[in-house]
Amino acid sequence: MRILLVGASGTIGQLVTHRLLARNHEIITAGRFSGDIHVDLTSKESIENLFKKAGAVDAIISTAGAAEFAPVHSLTPEINQTAVLSKLLGQINLALVGQHYLYENGSITLITGIMKDDPIPGGASAAMANGGVAAFVKSAAIDLKNGQRINCVSPNILEESMEDYGESFIGFTPVSGKEVANAFLKSVEGKQTGQEYKVY
């Protein structure tokens, strides 16, 4: 398959890339500052340019999306806007534009996260975006045409990320990057749609 992966330089993105390459898929990488093509998820024009450069694909994957972390008592609309424009609308716009560049029976896989189900301090903005993406995926699945599918993956904190983020996830049992990468592979190569694959 010819697969476009947005967020390929991140920890999850790298793990997913390696898993898909092991299955002999062709990967087109994209990111804000790295990859085969640069894209800013907060810009609809940048997303449109991404697909004009990438062309038609069998699958679209996002492991991207930014969010600010702050306790609600200090969370402002401006701080919250980062998650709204990037992780929420950025990924949704990636799907809305991308569907027109997706082959018949192609798939779209977005990313959410455990915080919408198991909150952490300062994570309300990210949780909001995660929940919105999951709801969009569930509803969008019944509208896509030509056999196209859409799912999302909701990962727990990764074993590979505990050194950097473990203090924010005290008491959580981390999961392996391999498990998370396999969830993306399941979405790409499987037949299900409208699913949120929770790796908790």
Side-chain angles (χ1 to χ4, degrees), residues 5 13 43 45 85 107 122 129 164-165 173 198:
L5 200 164
S43 165
E45 292 74 19
L85 293 178
S107 70
D164 293 327
Y165 303 108
T173 302
K198 296 180 178 181

Side-chain angles (χ1 to χ4, degrees), residues 20-100:
L20 294 172
L21 287 174
R23 296 284 296 169
N24 297 314
H25 295 302
E26 176 190 351
I27 311 299
I28 304 163
T29 60
R32 187 156 190 172
F33 303 110
S34 63
D36 300 317
I37 307 172
H38 289 184
V39 62
D40 176 3
L41 283 184
T42 67
S43 165
K44 181 177 69 74
E45 292 74 19
S46 182
I47 293 171
E48 290 171 342
N49 187 56
L50 165 68
F51 284 103
K52 287 176 183 176
K53 289 182 177 179
V57 293
D58 296 288
I60 299 163
I61 295 174
S62 172
T63 60
E68 299 284 349
F69 287 80
V72 170
H73 61 76
S74 61
L75 184 64
T76 65
E78 291 76 19
I79 294 172
N80 191 54
Q81 195 76 342
T82 298
V84 171
L85 293 178
S86 182
K87 189 156 194 182
L88 179 59
L89 291 182
Q91 290 198 96
I92 290 172
N93 287 340
L94 187 72
L96 293 178
V97 175
Q99 66 180 321
H100 303 294

Side-chain angles (χ1 to χ4, degrees), residues 6-199:
V6 180
S9 66
T11 301
I12 293 176
Q14 291 180 55
L15 291 163
V16 173
T17 298
H18 293 153
R19 188 70 184 94
L20 294 172
L21 287 174
R23 296 284 296 169
N24 297 314
H25 295 302
E26 176 190 351
I27 311 299
I28 304 163
T29 60
R32 187 156 190 172
F33 303 110
S34 63
D36 300 317
I37 307 172
H38 289 184
V39 62
D40 176 3
L41 283 184
T42 67
S43 165
K44 181 177 69 74
E45 292 74 19
S46 182
I47 293 171
E48 290 171 342
N49 187 56
L50 165 68
F51 284 103
K52 287 176 183 176
K53 289 182 177 179
V57 293
D58 296 288
I60 299 163
I61 295 174
S62 172
T63 60
E68 299 284 349
F69 287 80
V72 170
H73 61 76
S74 61
L75 184 64
T76 65
E78 291 76 19
I79 294 172
N80 191 54
Q81 195 76 342
T82 298
V84 171
L85 293 178
S86 182
K87 189 156 194 182
L88 179 59
L89 291 182
Q91 290 198 96
I92 290 172
N93 287 340
L94 187 72
L96 293 178
V97 175
Q99 66 180 321
H100 303 294
Y101 292 84
L102 199 60
Y103 287 127
E104 185 175 352
N105 300 318
S107 70
I108 300 169
T109 310
L110 307 180
I111 190 166
T112 60
I114 195 172
M115 285 176 285
K116 72 178 185 59
D117 294 320
D118 197 351
I120 65 169
S125 186
M128 169 211 64
N130 290 339
V133 170
F136 172 80
V137 163
K138 185 176 182 179
S139 297
I142 66 174
D143 285 335
L144 286 172
K145 296 181 178 181
N146 302 318
Q148 294 174 349
R149 300 178 300 105
I150 185 168
N151 299 298
C152 57
V153 175
S154 182
N156 193 353
I157 179 72
L158 270 62
E159 293 172 352
E160 292 86 344
S161 301
M162 283 298 286
E163 185 175 341
D164 293 327
Y165 303 108
E167 283 301 308
S168 296
F169 292 87
I170 296 173
F172 284 66
T173 302
V175 298
S176 72
K178 181 179 179 180
E179 290 178 87
V180 175
N182 276 337
F184 280 93
L185 179 65
K186 181 179 182 179
S187 179
V188 170
E189 293 193 8
K191 297 296 182 184
Q192 295 178 339
T193 190
Q195 302 297 307
E196 182 180 27
Y197 299 120
K198 296 180 178 181
V199 189

